[in-house]
Amino acid sequence: MDLRLLGYVVAIAEEGSISGAARRLLLTQPTLSRQLRDLERRLGAELFVRAGRGLIPTAAGEALLRRAVHMLADAEAALNDVRLAAEGKTGRLTVGFAGSGINGALGDALGRLRAELPDVDLSLVELFDDAEMSAGILDGSLDVAVQRLPVRDARLATRVWAREPLALFLPAGHPLARTREPAPVSVLGQISLVLWPRESAPHAHDEITSLCHHAGIVPRIGARGRTVQTILALVAAGFGAAVMADSYRVLHREGVTPRRLAGTATTLHLVWRAGDMSPLLTRFMTALNAVQPRPGDERPEAPAGIAGLQS
């Protein structure tokens, strides 16, 4: 049945007259009367009877009104859902991220998105393997990832989002921890290092060993740990120092002192499926761009428009 006709029936019932409903609906009274007669003829039932100077619903009219009110409300809700989805205010977004990202600007952006879009189903997936994150984008299990080293694939769109400083996390009693000034990379030759196993975090492992090799240092491995908590615990226990994203200092591990590594940074990329720029994903990108970098972070200039997001 035409929802417009149901709206006419509801208006007549609420106004109690054809003339009042016609004014409300911005129709002429003859037009509305004709529409009502045609509907009654189709249904084979009288919907309203006169009572005094107005109209009241018949039993058939009451039955139709009960249905009409719910159908019109459902139709309005459906239209509202469509509008919200088109504006990127509802839906589901699955975000993959590397461990350190959540401690810095990514955490700020996700908090902003949660506050601005409470009806969005935001699913977060922490992954340590960059290749696994890129694969998740391609197979559809992730909508967007914030990662360090995207896989090179024409099906992926990427953009550098932020560059986060690296820091040397030292045992609190170590001589190198006595100053808070940024340390030169050369200090990596003065202490054993606590590293990620390469098989569990190849990019992080290679990033640190590359720093050493470029500085002419052969790294001395004091221990290995598979989680940030384990690595910091090993540092606190004196097994060596760890090179990690500076944002991990927010964990405030007792017995560990962070010190910036001068002239170093790790790069965070935004990665998503090429050609996929849904309204919700666009809003997510906007939220990321709106977050102010934390002290020491670098943020490339935001591109002007959605087209600039794709590489």
Side-chain angles (χ1 to χ4, degrees):
M1 180 179 290
D2 190 336
L3 292 176
R4 177 175 52 88
L5 295 177
L6 294 181
Y8 293 170
V9 171
V10 171
I12 293 170
E14 290 178 348
E15 296 294 333
S17 70
I18 298 289
S19 58
R23 285 193 297 272
R24 171 170 150 183
L25 296 168
L26 303 178
L27 296 173
T28 65
Q29 187 170 335
T31 297
L32 184 55
S33 296
R34 186 175 61 254
Q35 294 281 356
L36 178 60
R37 287 195 304 270
D38 289 345
L39 179 59
E40 289 177 326
R41 194 161 40 247
R42 286 174 53 192
L43 295 174
E46 190 177 21
L47 299 177
F48 294 93
V49 294
R50 186 160 299 281
R53 300 181 64 181
L55 297 176
I56 61 172
T58 62
E62 289 284 3
L64 181 59
L65 278 168
R66 286 193 295 271
R67 294 282 187 175
V69 168
H70 290 297
M71 291 174 69
L72 290 170
D74 287 345
E76 182 61 31
L79 291 175
N80 189 54
D81 287 347
V82 170
R83 284 193 294 268
L84 291 175
E87 294 169 1
K89 294 181 179 179
T90 61
R92 179 181 178 84
L93 191 71
T94 303
V95 181
F97 65 94
S100 68
I102 200 68
N103 296 311
L106 177 59
D108 296 338
L110 292 173
R112 181 190 186 103
L113 193 68
R114 172 61 65 207
E116 292 180 356
L117 303 172
D119 295 325
V120 169
D121 182 4
L122 187 61
S123 178
L124 307 178
V125 181
E126 182 179 11
L127 297 167
F128 292 97
D129 188 334
D130 289 306
E132 187 178 356
M133 270 191 274
S134 292
I137 297 293
L138 291 173
D139 68 23
S141 58
L142 300 176
D143 296 304
V144 62
V146 182
Q147 62 182 100
R148 292 189 176 84
L149 192 65
V151 170
R152 290 187 177 276
D153 192 303
R155 296 170 294 172
L156 293 175
T158 67
R159 179 169 67 81
V160 173
W161 176 51
R163 294 182 178 88
E164 183 183 16
L166 293 175
L168 185 63
F169 290 78
L170 293 150
H174 194 279
L176 290 172
R178 292 173 184 168
T179 176
R180 297 302 176 93
E181 294 298 317
V185 174
S186 60
V187 303
L188 299 181
Q190 302 175 32
I191 188 171
S192 297
L193 298 179
V194 180
L195 293 182
W196 308 88
R198 193 178 189 285
E199 62 272 16
S200 63
H203 180 62
H205 178 279
D206 292 350
E207 188 174 44
I208 296 165
T209 55
S210 178
L211 275 177
C212 293
H213 293 156
H214 278 95
I217 298 166
V218 178
R220 292 180 289 125
I221 311 303
R224 299 181 189 274
R226 292 180 177 272
T227 68
V228 174
Q229 291 78 7
T230 299
I231 287 176
L232 292 177
L234 290 169
V235 171
F239 283 84
V243 177
M244 297 192 297
D246 186 69
S247 60
Y248 280 125
R249 69 172 60 233
V250 302
L251 300 180
H252 300 295
R253 179 60 162 84
E254 187 176 352
V256 176
T257 299
R259 186 177 173 191
R260 286 267 177 90
L261 273 177
T264 64
T266 186
T267 302
L268 292 176
H269 299 80
L270 298 178
V271 185
W272 65 99
R273 285 180 293 281
D276 176 16
M277 189 51 68
S278 67
L280 181 51
L281 185 57
T282 301
R283 276 193 174 270
F284 178 77
M285 298 290 194
T286 301
L288 289 181
N289 291 332
V291 172
Q292 295 299 312
R294 295 189 178 189
D297 288 1
E298 301 174 20
R299 183 71 51 77
E301 184 176 347
I306 294 303
L309 290 172
Q310 305 205 23
S311 61

